[in-house]
Tab-separated table of all heavy atoms in Angstrom:
chain	number	residue	atom	x	y	z
A	1	ALA	N	-12.116	89.735	80.792
A	1	ALA	CA	-13.089	88.809	80.168
A	1	ALA	C	-13.010	87.463	80.860
A	1	ALA	O	-12.744	86.443	80.198
A	1	ALA	CB	-12.836	88.653	78.670
A	2	PRO	N	-13.276	87.405	82.168
A	2	PRO	CA	-13.129	86.120	82.906
A	2	PRO	C	-14.124	85.057	82.448
A	2	PRO	O	-13.822	83.853	82.576
A	2	PRO	CB	-13.427	86.523	84.359
A	2	PRO	CG	-14.141	87.850	84.266
A	2	PRO	CD	-13.639	88.513	83.054
A	3	ASP	N	-15.306	85.465	81.883
A	3	ASP	CA	-16.254	84.462	81.413
A	3	ASP	C	-15.737	83.655	80.253
A	3	ASP	O	-16.000	82.463	80.127
A	3	ASP	CB	-17.559	85.124	81.015
A	3	ASP	CG	-17.368	86.370	80.137
A	3	ASP	OD1	-16.278	86.865	79.979
A	3	ASP	OD2	-18.380	86.884	79.640
A	4	ILE	N	-14.927	84.330	79.375
A	4	ILE	CA	-14.244	83.616	78.263
A	4	ILE	C	-13.250	82.589	78.819
A	4	ILE	O	-13.264	81.440	78.386
A	4	ILE	CB	-13.534	84.613	77.333
A	4	ILE	CG1	-14.541	85.502	76.639
A	4	ILE	CG2	-12.706	83.835	76.294
A	4	ILE	CD1	-13.937	86.561	75.738
A	5	LEU	N	-12.495	83.032	79.781
A	5	LEU	CA	-11.487	82.132	80.382
A	5	LEU	C	-12.154	80.927	81.040
A	5	LEU	O	-11.669	79.793	80.888
A	5	LEU	CB	-10.624	82.908	81.377
A	5	LEU	CG	-9.470	82.130	82.040
A	5	LEU	CD1	-8.508	81.595	80.999
A	5	LEU	CD2	-8.769	83.023	83.060
A	6	ASN	N	-13.211	81.149	81.762
A	6	ASN	CA	-13.872	80.133	82.473
A	6	ASN	C	-14.470	79.010	81.487
A	6	ASN	O	-14.284	77.850	81.705
A	6	ASN	CB	-15.023	80.652	83.335
A	6	ASN	CG	-14.491	81.430	84.516
A	6	ASN	OD1	-13.343	81.220	84.976
A	6	ASN	ND2	-15.312	82.332	85.056
A	7	SER	N	-15.144	79.507	80.467
A	7	SER	CA	-15.719	78.599	79.480
A	7	SER	C	-14.635	77.773	78.757
A	7	SER	O	-14.770	76.575	78.572
A	7	SER	CB	-16.561	79.342	78.465
A	7	SER	OG	-17.698	79.866	79.046
A	8	CYS	N	-13.603	78.454	78.343
A	8	CYS	CA	-12.490	77.793	77.571
A	8	CYS	C	-11.745	76.821	78.468
A	8	CYS	O	-11.407	75.720	78.034
A	8	CYS	CB	-11.533	78.813	77.051
A	8	CYS	SG	-12.253	79.794	75.675
A	9	THR	N	-11.521	77.158	79.747
A	9	THR	CA	-10.867	76.228	80.661
A	9	THR	C	-11.676	74.962	80.859
A	9	THR	O	-11.127	73.869	80.823
A	9	THR	CB	-10.621	76.948	82.024
A	9	THR	OG1	-9.813	78.087	81.826
A	9	THR	CG2	-9.928	75.963	83.001
A	10	LYS	N	-12.984	75.099	81.059
A	10	LYS	CA	-13.853	73.956	81.218
A	10	LYS	C	-13.863	73.058	79.980
A	10	LYS	O	-13.860	71.843	80.016
A	10	LYS	CB	-15.285	74.397	81.512
A	10	LYS	CG	-15.431	74.982	82.896
A	10	LYS	CD	-16.865	75.483	83.153
A	10	LYS	CE	-17.016	76.136	84.484
A	10	LYS	NZ	-18.417	76.669	84.687
A	11	SER	N	-13.856	73.709	78.796
A	11	SER	CA	-13.888	72.932	77.516
A	11	SER	C	-12.596	72.171	77.313
A	11	SER	O	-12.573	71.065	76.766
A	11	SER	CB	-14.172	73.870	76.329
A	11	SER	OG	-13.121	74.758	76.102
A	12	ILE	N	-11.479	72.763	77.776
A	12	ILE	CA	-10.194	72.051	77.668
A	12	ILE	C	-10.024	70.964	78.689
A	12	ILE	O	-9.427	69.924	78.367
A	12	ILE	CB	-9.047	73.103	77.773
A	12	ILE	CG1	-8.919	73.950	76.505
A	12	ILE	CG2	-7.670	72.415	77.973
A	12	ILE	CD1	-7.934	75.035	76.542
A	13	ASN	N	-10.603	71.166	79.831
A	13	ASN	CA	-10.472	70.101	80.870
A	13	ASN	C	-11.098	68.791	80.448
A	13	ASN	O	-10.780	67.727	80.942
A	13	ASN	CB	-11.115	70.598	82.164
A	13	ASN	CG	-10.293	71.629	82.884
A	13	ASN	OD1	-9.100	71.778	82.582
A	13	ASN	ND2	-10.906	72.393	83.769
A	14	LYS	N	-12.055	68.883	79.498
A	14	LYS	CA	-12.730	67.710	78.996
A	14	LYS	C	-12.381	67.414	77.523
A	14	LYS	O	-13.144	66.745	76.805
A	14	LYS	CB	-14.268	67.862	79.133
A	14	LYS	CG	-14.714	68.015	80.556
A	14	LYS	CD	-16.250	68.182	80.636
A	14	LYS	CE	-16.709	68.347	82.077
A	14	LYS	NZ	-18.201	68.534	82.149
A	15	LYS	N	-11.228	67.890	77.079
A	15	LYS	CA	-10.784	67.678	75.723
A	15	LYS	C	-10.552	66.221	75.421
A	15	LYS	O	-10.315	65.402	76.326
A	15	LYS	CB	-9.550	68.508	75.411
A	15	LYS	CG	-8.294	68.005	76.146
A	15	LYS	CD	-7.149	68.953	75.835
A	15	LYS	CE	-5.848	68.524	76.515
A	15	LYS	NZ	-5.890	68.573	77.971
A	16	LYS	N	-10.595	65.873	74.110
A	16	LYS	CA	-10.317	64.513	73.630
A	16	LYS	C	-9.373	64.534	72.491
A	16	LYS	O	-9.456	65.419	71.617
A	16	LYS	CB	-11.643	63.792	73.319
A	16	LYS	CG	-12.560	63.549	74.452
A	16	LYS	CD	-13.827	62.824	73.961
A	16	LYS	CE	-14.798	62.567	75.161
A	16	LYS	NZ	-16.038	61.912	74.711
A	17	ILE	N	-8.481	63.587	72.450
A	17	ILE	CA	-7.620	63.414	71.274
A	17	ILE	C	-8.301	62.484	70.253
A	17	ILE	O	-8.777	61.408	70.649
A	17	ILE	CB	-6.248	62.811	71.664
A	17	ILE	CG1	-5.528	63.764	72.663
A	17	ILE	CG2	-5.394	62.583	70.458
A	17	ILE	CD1	-5.186	65.114	72.142
A	18	ASP	N	-8.381	62.908	69.053
A	18	ASP	CA	-9.004	62.108	67.984
A	18	ASP	C	-8.020	62.074	66.795
A	18	ASP	O	-7.939	63.001	66.056
A	18	ASP	CB	-10.328	62.787	67.538
A	18	ASP	CG	-11.020	62.078	66.461
A	18	ASP	OD1	-10.562	60.974	66.008
A	18	ASP	OD2	-12.073	62.554	65.967
A	19	LEU	N	-7.296	60.959	66.695
A	19	LEU	CA	-6.241	60.803	65.698
A	19	LEU	C	-5.256	61.977	65.861
A	19	LEU	O	-4.664	62.097	66.926
A	19	LEU	CB	-6.893	60.815	64.269
A	19	LEU	CG	-7.837	59.611	64.014
A	19	LEU	CD1	-8.458	59.747	62.609
A	19	LEU	CD2	-7.151	58.274	64.157
A	20	ASP	N	-5.102	62.771	64.822
A	20	ASP	CA	-4.121	63.904	64.910
A	20	ASP	C	-4.778	65.207	65.363
A	20	ASP	O	-4.155	66.272	65.249
A	20	ASP	CB	-3.498	64.120	63.535
A	20	ASP	CG	-2.587	62.962	63.124
A	20	ASP	OD1	-2.032	62.336	63.982
A	20	ASP	OD2	-2.562	62.694	61.887
A	21	PHE	N	-5.969	65.129	65.923
A	21	PHE	CA	-6.712	66.328	66.260
A	21	PHE	C	-7.079	66.379	67.720
A	21	PHE	O	-7.137	65.324	68.372
A	21	PHE	CB	-8.011	66.416	65.391
A	21	PHE	CG	-7.803	66.149	63.961
A	21	PHE	CD1	-8.139	64.927	63.372
A	21	PHE	CD2	-7.231	67.094	63.147
A	21	PHE	CE1	-7.956	64.675	62.046
A	21	PHE	CE2	-7.023	66.866	61.795
A	21	PHE	CZ	-7.323	65.679	61.240
A	22	LEU	N	-7.305	67.595	68.224
A	22	LEU	CA	-7.733	67.764	69.594
A	22	LEU	C	-9.165	68.387	69.583
A	22	LEU	O	-9.353	69.457	69.009
A	22	LEU	CB	-6.786	68.690	70.326
A	22	LEU	CG	-6.954	68.849	71.851
A	22	LEU	CD1	-5.671	69.154	72.525
A	22	LEU	CD2	-7.957	69.960	72.204
A	23	ARG	N	-10.109	67.684	70.171
A	23	ARG	CA	-11.478	68.144	70.264
A	23	ARG	C	-11.735	68.750	71.644
A	23	ARG	O	-11.533	68.074	72.611
A	23	ARG	CB	-12.475	67.013	70.035
A	23	ARG	CG	-12.404	66.375	68.631
A	23	ARG	CD	-13.429	65.254	68.506
A	23	ARG	NE	-13.409	64.654	67.190
A	23	ARG	CZ	-14.135	65.118	66.172
A	23	ARG	NH1	-14.975	66.170	66.362
A	23	ARG	NH2	-14.101	64.529	64.972
A	24	ILE	N	-12.166	70.001	71.652
A	24	ILE	CA	-12.557	70.610	72.919
A	24	ILE	C	-14.038	70.239	73.182
A	24	ILE	O	-14.783	69.961	72.261
A	24	ILE	CB	-12.376	72.128	72.920
A	24	ILE	CG1	-13.192	72.801	71.790
A	24	ILE	CG2	-10.891	72.436	72.729
A	24	ILE	CD1	-13.057	74.297	71.808
A	25	GLU	N	-14.431	70.277	74.447
A	25	GLU	CA	-15.742	69.833	74.852
A	25	GLU	C	-16.768	70.915	74.478
A	25	GLU	O	-16.689	72.078	74.924
A	25	GLU	CB	-15.745	69.582	76.390
A	25	GLU	CG	-16.851	68.617	76.840
A	25	GLU	CD	-18.136	69.339	77.079
A	25	GLU	OE1	-18.118	70.501	77.554
A	25	GLU	OE2	-19.198	68.753	76.794
A	26	LYS	N	-17.795	70.509	73.643
A	26	LYS	CA	-18.657	71.522	73.042
A	26	LYS	C	-19.705	72.066	74.030
A	26	LYS	O	-20.121	73.220	73.919
A	26	LYS	CB	-19.387	70.925	71.836
A	26	LYS	CG	-20.291	69.752	72.105
A	26	LYS	CD	-20.900	69.289	70.775
A	26	LYS	CE	-21.844	68.119	70.991
A	26	LYS	NZ	-22.381	67.657	69.714
A	27	ASP	N	-20.174	71.278	75.038
A	27	ASP	CA	-21.181	71.786	75.942
A	27	ASP	C	-20.702	72.941	76.769
A	27	ASP	O	-21.461	73.881	77.079
A	27	ASP	CB	-21.692	70.677	76.868
A	27	ASP	CG	-22.479	69.593	76.141
A	27	ASP	OD1	-23.077	69.939	75.090
A	27	ASP	OD2	-22.545	68.447	76.568
A	28	ALA	N	-19.430	72.912	77.160
A	28	ALA	CA	-18.876	74.091	77.868
A	28	ALA	C	-18.564	75.225	76.919
A	28	ALA	O	-18.807	76.382	77.264
A	28	ALA	CB	-17.579	73.699	78.646
A	29	PHE	N	-18.068	74.908	75.721
A	29	PHE	CA	-17.659	75.938	74.793
A	29	PHE	C	-18.853	76.720	74.248
A	29	PHE	O	-18.692	77.921	73.916
A	29	PHE	CB	-16.880	75.289	73.618
A	29	PHE	CG	-16.167	76.285	72.752
A	29	PHE	CD1	-15.094	77.021	73.286
A	29	PHE	CD2	-16.469	76.448	71.429
A	29	PHE	CE1	-14.414	77.946	72.489
A	29	PHE	CE2	-15.795	77.357	70.615
A	29	PHE	CZ	-14.742	78.093	71.135
A	30	LYS	N	-20.047	76.134	74.194
A	30	LYS	CA	-21.201	76.851	73.644
A	30	LYS	C	-21.594	78.030	74.502
A	30	LYS	O	-22.300	78.920	73.995
A	30	LYS	CB	-22.335	75.870	73.433
A	30	LYS	CG	-23.007	75.392	74.686
A	30	LYS	CD	-24.143	74.413	74.363
A	30	LYS	CE	-24.807	73.886	75.654
A	30	LYS	NZ	-25.843	72.879	75.316
A	31	PHE	N	-21.214	78.052	75.764
A	31	PHE	CA	-21.552	79.187	76.632
A	31	PHE	C	-20.502	80.278	76.555
A	31	PHE	O	-20.652	81.348	77.191
A	31	PHE	CB	-21.681	78.695	78.095
A	31	PHE	CG	-22.836	77.800	78.299
A	31	PHE	CD1	-22.662	76.485	78.559
A	31	PHE	CD2	-24.140	78.328	78.309
A	31	PHE	CE1	-23.726	75.623	78.755
A	31	PHE	CE2	-25.201	77.465	78.506
A	31	PHE	CZ	-25.032	76.138	78.732
A	32	CYS	N	-19.485	80.092	75.740
A	32	CYS	CA	-18.424	81.098	75.607
A	32	CYS	C	-18.945	82.283	74.781
A	32	CYS	O	-19.558	82.085	73.736
A	32	CYS	CB	-17.212	80.457	74.939
A	32	CYS	SG	-15.720	81.436	75.150
A	33	PRO	N	-18.729	83.513	75.203
A	33	PRO	CA	-19.166	84.716	74.422
A	33	PRO	C	-18.574	84.651	73.018
A	33	PRO	O	-17.434	84.282	72.825
A	33	PRO	CB	-18.668	85.857	75.212
A	33	PRO	CG	-18.493	85.351	76.609
A	33	PRO	CD	-18.080	83.917	76.472
A	34	ASP	N	-19.382	85.109	72.059
A	34	ASP	CA	-18.948	85.198	70.647
A	34	ASP	C	-18.407	86.620	70.482
A	34	ASP	O	-19.135	87.549	70.216
A	34	ASP	CB	-20.153	84.958	69.738
A	34	ASP	CG	-19.743	84.921	68.280
A	34	ASP	OD1	-18.616	85.315	67.954
A	34	ASP	OD2	-20.592	84.525	67.444
């Protein structure tokens, strides 16, 4: 499932820390297979 890995890697590369939480980047994550 390389497409899952690619989408998740891109979303983590643009992650942001928000207080005690980690936000992954939604524009990349939305292309991830459900």
Side-chain angles (χ1 to χ4, degrees):
D3 48 348
I4 295 175
L5 183 59
N6 290 337
S7 292
C8 290
T9 300
K10 289 176 182 178
S11 67
I12 287 177
N13 287 342
K14 297 180 181 180
K15 68 183 182 296
K16 293 181 180 179
I17 300 297
D18 179 4
L19 298 176
D20 294 329
F21 311 104
L22 189 152
R23 294 180 179 272
I24 60 177
E25 204 274 325
K26 64 181 181 181
D27 289 336
F29 194 65
K30 71 182 178 183
F31 293 107
C32 198
D34 185 349

